[in-house]
Amino acid sequence: MRLSRYFLPTLKETPSEAKIASHRLMLRAGLVRQESAGIYSWLPLGLKLLKNIERIVREEQDRAGAVEMLMPTIQSAELWRESGRYDAYGKEMLRITDRHNREMLYGPTNEEMLTAIFRSFCKSYKELPKMLYHIQWKFRDEVRPRFGVMRGREFLMKDSYSFDVDEAAARRSYNRMFITYLNTFSRMGLQAVPMRAETGPIGGDLSHEFIILAETGESAVFCHKDLVDMPAPGLDVDFDGDLQPLVDERTALYAATEDVHDEAAFMAVPEDKRLSARGIEVGQVFYFGTKYSEPMRANVSHPDGKERPVHMGSYGVGVSRIAGAIIEANHDDEGIIWPLAVAPFKIGIINLRQGDEQTDAACESAWKALEAAGLEPLYDDTADRAGAKFSRMDLIGLPWQLIIGPRGLKDGLVELKERASGERQNLSLDAALDLLRTVCASS
Ligand code: ATP
Ligand code: MG
């Protein structure tokens, strides 16, 4: 992509309304624009980021055997009356009336809708287990939308729903998502700690939140320090095998959010291992048994011929919130530092002397070679000063900068800078391209 044709409205000034780094940087790097409180447009660079996050979430859902579908954003109030949540949900629900005076709502979550879909097609235990998911916009009329996309009103969520014959089977589904979430966040360069959590309006009594530790996080959390750097289970996990030992390993040590915190149990953790911190909730998993299937009569016939309500769980990932969480965890004074796996572009090419014949030609050939390798670099071919190009490239945080100018080219050299370490090396253009092809292909 040529920057001269792209749409990258970066800001020089720090927007005063932004209180935390990720919000400031998302606005300054031209990723999003606020349209009204808690409602954002995703500008081209932001959309690429969002799609990369979404892709990793999707790949890991698929790997775990969940099946993708798409439900609408607008739902009928009727469904929510069946479960009893229409009145219980309160002011966070955006209620809408259509031209025929029918009560509708912008979905804050989809337990009711998927339960209704399930019950209309699945009648027998033989069709179980089933795990379905979608990635769709949600609306919650939050009292205090803030921190940019971290607490929006309209936000993108991946939500999965599991259907099982009984509690034991439902726990196996729960474990699948538990393990999948750890792998998902790890692929994005995030260390998520699973913590026991309150179930809130979703209901049930078994739940974990996945928390990224960050000073600017909204949740107060308490955990054993050993959980913080425990590696993710890894992509070669056998999802058809017994996942309980992997889950046990990660739930044996104390970890809880404020709402379910047990001070006495926490005090039993050795003092040097106690961590009381703040965190960002990027995902949550719930097992709620028959909370929806019973009132909504989503029953399946069992081998004994009797019908019983199906056991359900739901599993959410805050796709758009993760964009903010990644920046909270990866930035410096100059700007964002994208982990390679989610970077909107992996490589930026900086032309230090636009209009200089030899420099333009070297940049064009680098651009084409990287395009041909499927790496789609962002080529800064604008007429801006070198200093402005450097600071913009640092601000938008692309992992690799390929810097090409007449001075280096005289000796047959270009410069390659790694954004994260700040390390620079001079090498021939061919060597630089080879290196980029190798390091970028592996993510
Ligand atoms: P919170 O406690 O932060 O309000 P929640 O527990 O109500 O979130 P869930 O119903 O568990 O949210 O939704 C699943 C995921 O969706 C959350 O883990 C979070 O990552 C994301 N999410 C929830 N609310 C918002 C929001 N207002 N803006 C952005 N992401 C959100
Ligand atoms: Mg939650």
Side-chain angles (χ1 to χ4, degrees):
M1 176 58 66
R2 286 176 188 281
L3 186 56
S4 60
R5 307 193 129 199
Y6 201 51
F7 186 73
L8 182 65
T10 53
L11 306 177
K12 286 215 178 57
E13 307 300 323
T14 298
S16 61
E17 75 272 22
K19 301 281 181 275
I20 61 172
S22 59
H23 189 191
R24 277 196 294 275
L25 288 169
M26 286 190 87
L27 296 171
R28 283 196 53 213
L31 299 172
V32 294
R33 190 183 102 104
Q34 182 175 311
E35 300 304 343
S36 47
I39 301 179
Y40 290 84
S41 287
W42 289 77
L43 302 174
L45 197 69
L47 182 62
K48 271 181 161 294
L49 164 70
L50 197 63
K51 295 229 176 252
N52 287 342
I53 296 170
E54 206 181 293
R55 176 178 46 79
I56 292 175
V57 169
R58 177 176 291 116
E59 284 173 6
E60 295 313 314
Q61 288 296 302
D62 295 351
R63 194 191 307 277
V67 183
E68 188 171 13
M69 61 179 298
L70 185 61
M71 289 174 271
T73 53
I74 305 295
Q75 307 185 19
S76 135
E78 273 320 298
L79 271 182
W80 288 67
R81 291 214 167 85
E82 282 190 49
S83 72
R85 275 210 295 183
Y86 190 62
D87 296 322
Y89 215 92
K91 288 197 168 168
E92 278 199 9
M93 181 184 276
L94 180 65
R95 295 156 208 260
I96 307 164
T97 312
D98 74 7
R99 68 199 297 163
H100 305 293
N101 257 338
R102 275 190 290 256
E103 290 170 282
M104 315 289 286
L105 57 100
Y106 194 131
T109 177
N110 284 63
E111 280 79 11
E112 284 77 0
M113 187 172 281
L114 200 47
T115 306
I117 291 171
F118 178 87
R119 76 178 169 198
S120 63
F121 297 113
C122 295
K123 311 284 182 197
S124 160
Y125 74 95
K126 290 182 191 151
E127 293 168 77
L128 301 178
K130 282 277 176 290
M131 173 95 73
L132 292 156
Y133 76 97
H134 74 162
I135 301 175
Q136 177 63 292
W137 294 92
K138 306 289 187 289
F139 197 97
R140 294 182 186 174
D141 203 353
E142 301 274 355
V143 195
R144 218 149 58 104
R146 57 181 184 155
F147 301 155
V149 300
M150 294 258 236
R151 182 163 300 282
R153 292 199 295 163
E154 188 181 46
F155 60 96
L156 191 59
M157 194 205 284
K158 183 288 300 174
D159 37 329
S160 315
Y161 302 85
S162 62
F163 300 88
D164 282 281
V165 68
D166 56 20
E167 176 167 353
R171 284 190 180 240
R172 287 196 286 277
S173 296
Y174 186 91
N175 289 349
R176 269 183 194 237
M177 285 297 115
F178 190 105
I179 297 301
T180 295
Y181 276 24
L182 292 171
N183 284 340
T184 302
F185 299 126
S186 162
R187 280 190 62 190
M188 299 174 193
L190 291 172
Q191 178 77 35
V193 184
M195 305 203 182
R196 276 198 316 106
E198 187 74 81
T199 54
I202 308 283
D205 52 16
L206 174 62
S207 182
H208 287 88
E209 282 181 7
F210 289 76
I211 301 282
I212 309 298
L213 297 178
E215 274 164 37
T216 48
E218 289 187 278
S219 323
V221 296
F222 306 85
C223 74
H224 192 294
K225 281 187 181 156
D226 288 357
L227 287 169
V228 176
D229 41 26
M230 200 177 266
L235 304 186
D236 50 1
V237 164
D238 173 14
F239 281 103
D240 294 320
D242 183 9
L243 299 175
Q244 196 64 51
L246 285 174
V247 172
D248 288 346
E249 228 182 297
R250 289 163 173 86
T251 49
L253 297 175
Y254 188 85
T257 62
E258 196 172 21
D259 300 333
V260 296
H261 178 54
D262 174 352
E263 187 66 14
F266 187 52
M267 285 304 139
V269 175
E271 193 175 354
D272 62 325
K273 292 287 186 187
R274 264 178 239 155
L275 180 69
S276 149
R278 300 199 69 80
I280 302 165
E281 178 197 331
V282 285
Q284 188 167 5
V285 293
F286 302 86
Y287 164 67
F288 43 71
T290 59
K291 172 172 172 176
Y292 300 91
S293 53
E294 208 167 298
M296 294 183 70
R297 285 192 293 267
N299 297 325
V300 289
S301 65
H302 279 229
D304 64 6
K306 293 211 175 88
E307 284 198 350
R308 295 186 184 87
V310 68
H311 282 251
M312 292 176 57
S314 73
Y315 316 88
V317 167
V319 175
S320 50
R321 177 179 287 181
I322 287 173
I326 292 174
I327 300 176
E328 274 314 305
N330 301 281
H331 68 270
D332 62 15
D333 290 345
E334 317 316 318
I336 302 167
I337 306 170
W338 295 119
L340 201 56
V342 295
F345 294 93
K346 293 183 167 69
I347 305 160
I349 302 174
I350 297 180
N351 182 330
L352 290 178
R353 183 85 53 84
Q354 197 70 37
D356 173 73
E357 203 173 312
Q358 199 195 0
T359 309
D360 288 355
C363 288
E364 294 285 329
S365 85
W367 179 45
K368 290 200 178 112
L370 293 169
E371 283 278 345
L375 293 173
E376 204 202 6
L378 180 65
Y379 169 26
D380 188 342
D381 62 341
T382 64
D384 295 341
R385 285 179 304 106
K389 291 189 176 189
F390 287 137
S391 46
R392 176 167 53 218
M393 215 42 107
D394 280 350
L395 172 64
I396 66 171
L398 309 188
W400 293 95
Q401 300 175 9
L402 179 59
I403 303 161
I404 304 180
R407 213 177 299 162
L409 285 177
K410 239 188 316 175
D411 304 320
L413 296 175
V414 298
E415 198 178 9
L416 195 58
K417 174 177 158 184
E418 187 182 18
R419 175 69 178 87
S421 64
E423 267 168 36
R424 295 157 172 270
Q425 48 182 313
N426 290 305
L427 60 189
S428 73
L429 180 55
D430 282 343
L433 294 175
D434 274 345
L435 198 150
L436 287 172
R437 278 189 288 253
T438 311
V439 290
C440 296
S442 60
S443 73

